[in-house]
């Protein structure tokens, strides 16, 4: 679902020249992924998106932001995939893009930064993939539950699990995080890194690790 020209795109209760609201999202049935926007779409503003268990893909040639830091801008128990050519979560509050998703993937931002706060209300989140040379500095905070990592390669990263652990998503020897400067925060009491599924496998130029006692 996308405008046929480079119009700004509003999703949910977000404003834009071209708007796809929750009623319209609910009417679309798919066994795959619901793609909103495309690689020529204008700036995207999302807020109050409730997609049930749908897999969502948001694509734009500009930026992706939510309207404010109040509540989750995007909620789905499925997978959220983001692709932009500008920053994600760079406007409208320090928490960045507020989400509550089962799985998160980011395919491209043109090397621009990403700031995301995830409420984790679905029981934690898996960040499945960020390809190499695709995303700039990645700041991600999960406020509830455990953060599971697939394979991510941003330029630098700060990953925070406010009340949970940071773990590999499966017990394997594949690199989970490849980056420059990496900060891992899992410093609630009794929480840590690599608690299940073996060690968290990383290749970084520098590491700051903060874990609970």
């Amino acid at each position: 679902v996308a405008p046929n020209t480079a119009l700004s795109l509003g999703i949910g209760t977000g404003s834009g020249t071209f708007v796809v609201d929750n009623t319209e999202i609910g009417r679309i049935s798919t066994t795959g992924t619901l793609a909103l926007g495309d690689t020529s779409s204008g700036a995207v503003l999302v807020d109050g998106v409730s997609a049930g268990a749908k897999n969502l893909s948001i694509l734009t040639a500009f930026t992706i932001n939510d309207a404010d830091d109040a509540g989750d801008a995007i909620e789905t128990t499925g997978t959220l995939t983001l692709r932009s050519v500008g920053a994600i979560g760079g406007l409208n509050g320090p928490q960045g893009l507020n989400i509550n998703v089962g799985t998160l993937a980011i395919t491209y931002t043109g090397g621009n930064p990403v700031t995301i706060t995830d409420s984790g209300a679905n029981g934690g989140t898996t960040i499945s993939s960020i390809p190499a040379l695709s995303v700039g500095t990645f700041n991600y905070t999960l406020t509830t539950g455990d953060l599971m990592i697939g394979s991510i390669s941003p330029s630098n990263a700060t990953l925070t699990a406010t009340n949970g652990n940071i773990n590999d998503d499966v017990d394997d020897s594949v690199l989970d995080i490849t980056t420059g400067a990496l900060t891992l925060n899992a410093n609630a009491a009794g929480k840590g890194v690599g608690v299940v599924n073996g060690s968290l496998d990383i290749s970084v130029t520098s590491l700051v690790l903060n874990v609970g006692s």
Side-chain angles (χ1 to χ4, degrees):
V1 180
N4 61 6
T5 58
L7 301 176
S8 62
L9 176 61
I11 303 175
T13 60
S15 61
T17 304
F18 182 91
V19 175
V20 183
D21 63 25
N22 281 327
T23 299
E24 292 164 323
I25 291 171
R27 288 173 178 165
I28 299 171
S29 177
T30 176
T31 57
T33 297
L34 172 57
L36 301 174
D38 59 25
T39 55
S40 63
S41 294
V44 174
L45 187 68
V46 298
D47 205 28
V49 176
S50 181
K54 285 187 174 76
N55 298 321
L56 293 181
S57 175
I58 299 176
L59 304 90
T60 176
F62 291 86
T63 57
I64 301 173
N65 291 291
D66 70 4
D68 51 46
D69 274 343
D72 296 318
I74 304 171
E75 182 174 355
T76 177
T77 58
T79 296
L80 173 65
T81 303
L82 302 174
R83 194 269 188 201
S84 69
V85 189
I88 296 175
L91 298 176
N92 304 327
Q95 295 177 18
L97 181 65
N98 294 90
I99 65 172
N100 174 25
V101 303
T103 301
L104 173 67
I106 302 172
T107 61
Y108 189 75
T109 68
N112 288 290
V114 176
T115 302
I116 289 176
T117 299
D118 189 336
S119 69
N122 292 321
T125 299
T126 297
I127 304 176
S128 61
S129 61
I130 299 176
L133 304 176
S134 62
V135 173
T137 298
F138 181 49
N139 294 303
Y140 175 92
T141 299
L142 178 67
T143 60
T144 305
D146 289 345
L147 174 56
M148 313 300 284
I149 306 294
S151 179
I152 67 172
S153 300
S155 62
N156 299 287
T158 297
L159 306 178
T160 299
T162 305
N163 293 293
N165 303 298
I166 301 175
N167 297 312
D168 193 340
D169 65 341
V170 293
D171 188 358
D172 57 25
S173 59
V174 174
L175 283 173
D176 304 303
I177 305 173
T178 303
T179 190
L182 174 64
T183 299
L184 297 175
N185 299 310
N187 49 0
K191 303 301 181 180
V193 173
V195 175
V196 298
N197 297 334
S199 62
L200 188 69
D201 304 300
I202 65 173
S203 175
V204 302
T205 58
S206 66
L207 174 65
V208 176
L209 181 63
N210 299 303
V211 298
S213 56

